[in-house]
Amino acid sequence: MRTLFLQAPSFDGFDGGAGSRYQAKREIASFWYPTWLAQPAALVEGSKLIDAPPHKIGLDAVAKQARDYDLVVLHTSTPSFDSDVKTIEALKAANPGLKAGLIGAKVAVQADESLKASPLIDFVARNEFDFTIKDVADDRDFAAIKGLSWRNGSGQIVHNDERPVVHDMDQLPFVTPVYQRDLKIENYFIGYLKHPYISFYTGRGCKSRCTFCLWPQTVGGHRYRTRSVGHVIDEIRWAKAAFPQVKEFFFDDDTFTDDAPRAEAIARELGKLGVTWSCNAKANVPRDTLKVMRDNGLRLLLVGYESGNQQILHNIKKGMLVDVAKRFTKDCHELGIVIHGTFILGLPGETTETIRETIDFAKEINPHTIQVSLAAPYPGTFLYKQAIENGWLDDANAELVNADGVQIAPLHYPHLSHSEIFHSVEDFYRSFYFRAPKIASIVGEMVRSPEMMKRRLREGVEFWRFLRSRADVAA
């Protein structure tokens, strides 16, 4: 079938295809690559990928293009689901013969509920969906496709047997040729990465058991399944030639550094290619491994610290000691590795005191930049189960964002209200960034680089708009 892969228009500036933990409109305009869509698109010959939000493509334009296709596959999420269903309705109004299906963590764990949301949804693909979608695009009988939940001719919902996850990850083709064919890479921007950048996965799954983390609990699983070193390097080599303008490659694996010997092996090959690269990391990477990666082009690590309170880290099964995180961060500073640190407020056990403790922790370890998120109980996660069982999540907050796509504080506790958690994000940012040493660091960075001057000024304007939008939410 002629197949269209779609990240649909929704909230203005909404990063719905995010490979990162949460789908939301961010404090500074940011877009991750739609790798979850690009991977099955790479398997389906003659397909097309439209990533509407970063390319500012409206629904009318998408509907017009949908007339040329037999099948549309949308990536959806809890925040964007209602909007994505309306997109399917609009596309089918333009092309009544179009088959429409959904992929993503939301439908992986709520297949029945998702199909019941609209009779126009023909199918959803559960769990790891790449080859499930290929089978659909190859026009196989729906009844024979593992991993598929679908609506039969009489309107009855059918759930087929599970599809085993992919173990030989080298079976999956490169996603970067799909980027080249269908995306404008300059539209993808992350404040802490060099621009333009490219991101993709070298493996799936994460052995950690963090209760809030979306992908390992819904799609990827807890076994880190990896591509071979040669396969990864071949894609980097291809992308380096295809995108000479790219200044940085980012590996979006949940925790690229979980397999330290493999990370070192990839690093040594990247060093031979002379590329600048970054990756996700847990705050426990040995100094020797950090040095090997640094010596071979590593510039930045994205590190999920989450909290500075040890009990909260235990509560969320982070498997991390605060003292280990401090030592790791000190090693990075000494080796010249930049850190973008991420933190979450409102996790189980949070109090006004632990919020202050985390803010003080962030100031002490002093990553170069930070992102502060609100605890988001996505369906399929242990945190969601806890929130439902304990009455921490109200129905009114279940979509996790407001009408503009801005993240809300969905959880509340007997001793800590939605409002207190929500406002603590602004307090965190102000406390961290409005310090003389941090201001001096940012100004120095701007003075040394005209390009950085333009970026930081733009980001400053966007950040102030973000704070104003939060004030509107609170009002």
Side-chain angles (χ1 to χ4, degrees):
M1 288 189 279
R2 296 170 299 169
T3 305
L4 174 64
F5 291 90
L6 175 64
Q7 187 68 51
S10 56
F11 313 101
D12 182 37
F14 183 77
D15 192 12
S20 51
R21 190 166 296 119
Y22 306 128
Q23 292 94 4
K25 184 174 181 178
R26 305 181 192 285
E27 52 268 46
I28 294 171
S30 302
F31 287 105
W32 290 98
Y33 283 83
T35 316
W36 288 107
L37 275 170
Q39 192 68 79
L43 286 166
V44 178
E45 186 177 351
S47 66
K48 178 169 181 165
L49 169 59
I50 296 178
D51 190 10
H55 294 83
K56 301 187 184 301
I57 301 173
L59 183 55
D60 289 344
V62 172
K64 185 177 179 180
Q65 293 194 59
R67 295 172 187 156
D68 298 328
Y69 292 90
D70 307 309
L71 170 68
V72 62
V73 178
L74 286 79
H75 183 275
T76 192
S77 64
T78 296
S80 68
F81 181 76
D82 290 345
S83 175
D84 294 332
V85 171
K86 290 177 182 176
T87 295
I88 289 177
E89 293 169 352
L91 299 187
K92 287 207 169 188
N95 180 357
L98 187 70
K99 288 189 181 296
L102 295 166
I103 60 174
K106 158 76 176 176
V107 297
V109 298
Q110 294 182 325
D112 200 72
E113 175 183 314
S114 299
L115 282 165
K116 288 176 179 176
S118 171
L120 297 181
I121 303 172
D122 296 298
F123 67 89
V124 303
R126 307 187 310 271
N127 201 4
E128 198 165 64
F129 43 74
D130 310 275
F131 288 98
T132 302
I133 295 301
K134 184 180 187 306
D135 285 347
V136 172
D138 286 344
D139 208 13
R140 291 190 61 195
D141 180 359
F142 277 12
I145 301 175
K146 289 185 177 181
L148 198 72
S149 294
W150 54 290
R151 196 185 307 279
N152 65 19
S154 61
Q156 181 183 3
I157 292 174
V158 180
H159 302 289
N160 294 353
D161 291 343
E162 293 293 341
R163 177 180 292 272
V165 297
V166 178
H167 291 287
D168 178 7
M169 297 298 290
D170 288 1
Q171 290 181 53
L172 296 171
F174 300 165
V175 295
T176 44
V178 177
Y179 296 173
Q180 183 192 48
R181 184 189 70 194
D182 293 333
L183 308 178
K184 182 178 179 181
I185 68 166
E186 286 76 13
N187 289 353
Y188 295 88
F189 186 94
I190 299 293
Y192 48 86
L193 298 180
K194 291 180 178 292
H195 184 74
Y197 83 99
I198 278 180
S199 67
F200 61 81
Y201 295 89
T202 78
R204 291 179 182 168
C206 179
K207 66 182 181 182
S208 297
R209 299 279 171 170
C210 303
T211 61
F212 57 87
C213 195
L214 181 61
W215 302 112
Q217 298 182 78
T218 58
V219 175
H222 288 290
R223 179 175 172 233
Y224 186 30
R225 295 165 288 124
T226 59
R227 297 162 57 184
S228 66
V229 173
H231 197 255
V232 173
I233 297 305
D234 284 346
E235 181 161 18
I236 289 288
R237 188 178 290 109
W238 187 93
K240 186 171 182 281
F243 302 103
Q245 72 272 43
V246 165
K247 295 182 180 176
E248 184 159 19
F249 290 91
F250 185 88
F251 299 132
D252 207 10
D253 307 33
D254 287 293
T255 314
F256 177 79
T257 55
D258 264 5
D259 186 340
R262 174 178 177 270
E264 292 182 21
I266 290 175
R268 290 188 174 96
E269 295 303 314
L270 293 172
K272 296 174 186 176
L273 294 178
V275 299
T276 298
W277 60 282
S278 301
C279 67
N280 290 312
K282 200 169 180 180
N284 61 356
V285 185
R287 186 183 178 103
D288 289 348
T289 297
L290 290 172
K291 187 175 185 304
V292 170
M293 296 194 299
R294 189 278 315 268
D295 290 345
N296 288 281
L298 174 70
R299 186 188 69 86
L300 174 143
L301 294 176
L302 194 164
V303 181
Y305 293 101
E306 324 312 357
S307 176
N309 177 267
Q310 189 63 64
Q311 186 56 54
I312 288 179
L313 295 179
H314 289 325
N315 293 347
I316 62 173
K317 302 181 183 179
K318 182 69 181 177
M320 177 56 57
L321 297 175
V322 171
D323 287 345
V324 171
K326 288 180 179 179
R327 183 170 66 249
F328 157 86
T329 309
K330 182 174 182 289
D331 287 340
C332 288
H333 288 328
E334 291 175 354
L335 291 168
I337 298 170
V338 178
I339 294 178
H340 176 74
T342 63
F343 300 86
I344 302 173
L345 298 179
L347 293 164
E350 195 80 275
T351 65
T352 53
E353 291 76 19
T354 61
I355 289 171
R356 174 48 54 187
E357 187 177 353
T358 297
I359 294 173
D360 290 342
F361 170 73
K363 290 158 66 174
E364 177 187 350
I365 63 172
N366 198 32
H368 184 61
T369 51
I370 62 169
Q371 176 181 315
V372 185
S373 299
L374 293 156
Y378 274 82
T381 64
F382 185 78
L383 178 60
Y384 180 82
K385 181 174 181 288
Q386 278 186 305
I388 296 299
E389 290 176 349
N390 291 282
W392 300 337
L393 177 65
D394 305 324
D395 289 343
N397 300 307
E399 292 186 355
L400 310 179
V401 299
N402 71 358
D404 295 319
V406 175
Q407 196 183 27
I408 61 172
L411 298 180
H412 66 97
Y413 305 100
H415 56 279
L416 198 63
S417 68
H418 296 289
S419 179
E420 289 173 295
I421 297 170
F422 184 83
H423 286 295
S424 65
V425 171
E426 183 175 340
D427 293 340
F428 200 141
Y429 277 124
R430 290 181 183 276
S431 295
F432 183 83
Y433 280 114
F434 294 177
R435 298 175 289 148
K438 183 56 71 176
I439 292 171
S441 172
I442 293 171
V443 170
E445 188 178 46
M446 293 166 64
V447 169
R448 290 191 298 272
S449 168
E451 179 185 355
M452 190 58 69
M453 173 80 75
K454 288 189 291 185
R455 282 184 62 171
R456 294 300 184 223
L457 289 175
R458 179 184 63 79
E459 291 168 357
V461 171
E462 291 176 357
F463 184 69
W464 283 111
R465 286 175 181 164
F466 164 75
L467 293 182
R468 283 204 304 272
S469 72
R470 289 179 57 79
D472 293 341
V473 171

